[in-house]
């Protein structure tokens, strides 16, 4: 599995490095974009432009030192760093523009920062960038996935339970439990949990936190026009569950809960 992932990722990066224009890399302080950058350096003799964000007003979220450390690791022959310092005022100033180009509501403000960063890429005559986006969806990087594993899959995962001793098991549990959501998260829509259990056989942790579960995100005229229809209905937003074979596998627990949750997130949030 590990060799397969490395081989597929190397192939994916190599194919995307075949371009008539400069290919850069969005570099955060994380593992995913650093891996992509490391692989990209194998397929060019020119330094790769890396683009990173620094938050002047928020030291807790500022990964500038990690980005610079990654660039130092590869050296000036391999990478050329571009670090853009962004302030709260700049984020506020670009929200409308970012929503317009995204053509969808923003759940997080990070998209605005990336939008501003893309202007830096263009100013540097860049046309193509690689990023580490998508790996959390594939490798269960998000906290709700780990929560589903702990709640549903771990008790049935004999490969983990039998292969490690008590001390290692405690470390695994501590790692998996990091930053997970409260099990008592309050939903405004009390029908959501029974809806999920009826459709899936369990209540995915991500459904506790999704903004779609909150009526307040909808415009008043929209709510009025659809007053006899639950806009935040679990079924309305999960039409992919109409696939009989997949929904049958999910409800019968033939697919692990983590994979079921990954499937639904990809279908909902990575659509189009």
């Amino acid at each position: 599995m590990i060799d397969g992932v490395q081989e597929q990722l190397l192939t994916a990066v190599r194919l995307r490095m075949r371009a008539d224009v400069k290919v850069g890399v969005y570099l955060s302080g994380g593992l995913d974009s650093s891996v992509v950058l490391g692989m990209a350096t194998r397929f060019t003799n020119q330094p790769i432009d890396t683009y990173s964000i620094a938050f002047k007003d928020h030291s807790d979220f500022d990964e500038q030192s990690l980005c610079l450390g990654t660039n130092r690791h590869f050296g000036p022959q391999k990478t050329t760093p571009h670090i853009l310092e962004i302030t709260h005022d700049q984020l506020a100033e670009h929200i409308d523009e970012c929503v317009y180009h995204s053509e969808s509501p923003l759940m997080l403000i990070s998209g605005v920062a990336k939008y501003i960063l893309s202007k830096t890429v263009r100013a540097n005559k860049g046309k193509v960038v690689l990023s580490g986006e998508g790996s959390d969806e594939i490798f269960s990087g998000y906290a709700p996935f780990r929560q589903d594993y702990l709640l549903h899959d771990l008790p049935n995962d004999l490969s983990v339970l039998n292969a490690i001793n008590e001390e290692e098991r405690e470390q695994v549990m501590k790692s998996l439990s990091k930053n997970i959501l409260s099990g008592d998260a309050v939903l405004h829509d009390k029908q959501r949990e029974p809806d999920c259990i009826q459709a899936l056989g369990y209540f995915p942790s991500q459904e506790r936190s999704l903004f779609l579960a909150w009526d307040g995100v909808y415009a008043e005229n929209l709510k009025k026009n659809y007053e006899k229809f639950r806009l935040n209905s679990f079924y309305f937003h999960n039409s992919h569950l109409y696939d009989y074979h997949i929904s049958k596998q999910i409800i019968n627990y033939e697919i692990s809960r983590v994979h079921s949750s990954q499937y639904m997130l990809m279908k909902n949030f990575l659509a189009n």
Side-chain angles (χ1 to χ4, degrees):
M1 289 293 286
I2 292 169
D3 290 343
V5 167
Q6 185 177 27
E7 185 181 326
Q8 294 287 341
L9 192 53
L10 273 169
T11 300
V13 172
R14 177 172 52 79
L15 291 173
R16 283 154 184 81
M17 291 297 289
R18 289 181 190 164
D20 298 327
V21 294
K22 285 202 299 183
V23 179
V25 174
Y26 280 155
L27 180 66
S28 70
L31 174 69
D32 310 314
S33 59
S34 300
V35 167
V36 170
L37 172 62
M39 291 185 168
T41 60
R42 299 188 187 189
F43 304 113
T44 179
N45 296 320
Q46 301 298 317
I48 295 174
D49 290 304
T50 67
Y51 300 94
S52 308
I53 296 168
F55 292 107
K56 289 178 74 172
D57 302 333
H58 247 308
S59 57
D60 290 347
F61 295 101
D62 190 11
E63 298 181 333
Q64 182 174 353
S65 60
L66 291 169
C67 299
L68 289 171
T70 303
N71 277 284
R72 277 197 302 272
H73 170 77
F74 290 109
Q77 294 81 22
K78 294 284 188 180
T79 67
T80 304
H82 304 267
I83 295 185
L84 178 66
E85 291 190 337
I86 293 179
T87 65
H88 284 168
D89 289 343
Q90 285 174 295
L91 292 172
E93 184 186 328
H94 287 83
I95 283 179
D96 287 2
E97 211 177 328
C98 184
V99 171
Y100 173 80
H101 287 292
S102 299
E103 298 185 348
S104 66
L106 300 178
M107 282 185 70
L108 302 168
I109 205 75
S110 56
V112 183
K114 290 172 189 171
Y115 172 70
I116 299 170
L117 186 63
S118 70
K119 292 174 180 285
T120 302
V121 177
R122 177 53 60 93
N124 192 44
K125 296 185 170 58
K127 296 278 188 180
V128 178
V129 284
L130 308 182
S131 84
E133 299 278 347
S135 52
D136 285 316
E137 286 80 0
I138 296 170
F139 295 109
S140 304
Y142 295 130
F145 292 151
R146 296 200 305 277
Q147 190 163 2
D148 285 338
Y149 179 73
L150 286 168
L151 286 171
H152 306 290
D153 296 330
L154 180 63
N156 302 307
D157 193 342
L158 296 178
S159 64
V160 173
L161 295 174
N162 294 338
I164 56 180
N165 60 41
E166 195 59 43
E167 187 181 341
E168 289 171 331
R169 190 177 297 122
E170 202 170 297
Q171 283 185 315
V172 168
M173 295 293 282
K174 191 175 178 182
S175 171
L176 287 169
S177 303
K178 192 178 178 185
N179 298 329
I180 63 172
L181 300 166
S182 164
D184 300 321
V186 177
L187 279 177
H188 293 265
D189 180 11
K190 299 301 180 187
Q191 188 58 38
R192 201 165 189 81
E193 184 167 358
D195 275 359
C196 289
I197 292 171
Q198 184 182 341
L200 307 168
Y202 78 111
F203 186 35
S205 298
Q206 64 198 21
E207 291 297 326
R208 299 178 189 277
S209 59
L210 292 187
F211 73 102
L212 289 173
W214 178 46
D215 267 331
V217 299
Y218 297 106
E220 288 304 317
N221 63 331
L222 192 67
K223 286 194 278 192
K224 190 173 181 182
N225 289 341
Y226 289 92
E227 59 188 350
K228 293 182 180 176
F229 183 85
R230 283 175 59 231
L231 280 168
N232 56 353
S233 159
F234 176 76
Y235 301 105
F236 177 69
H237 290 291
N238 291 276
S239 58
H240 51 275
L241 291 175
Y242 298 155
D243 184 318
Y244 171 76
H245 298 290
I246 290 178
S247 60
K248 185 167 177 275
Q249 286 179 305
I250 290 174
I251 202 164
N252 289 340
Y253 202 5
E254 294 167 28
I255 303 173
S256 74
R257 297 309 191 203
V258 170
H259 287 166
S260 298
S261 296
Q262 284 176 300
Y263 170 78
M264 287 183 286
L265 188 81
M266 289 185 196
K267 286 291 187 178
N268 281 328
F269 286 90
L270 301 187
N272 303 319

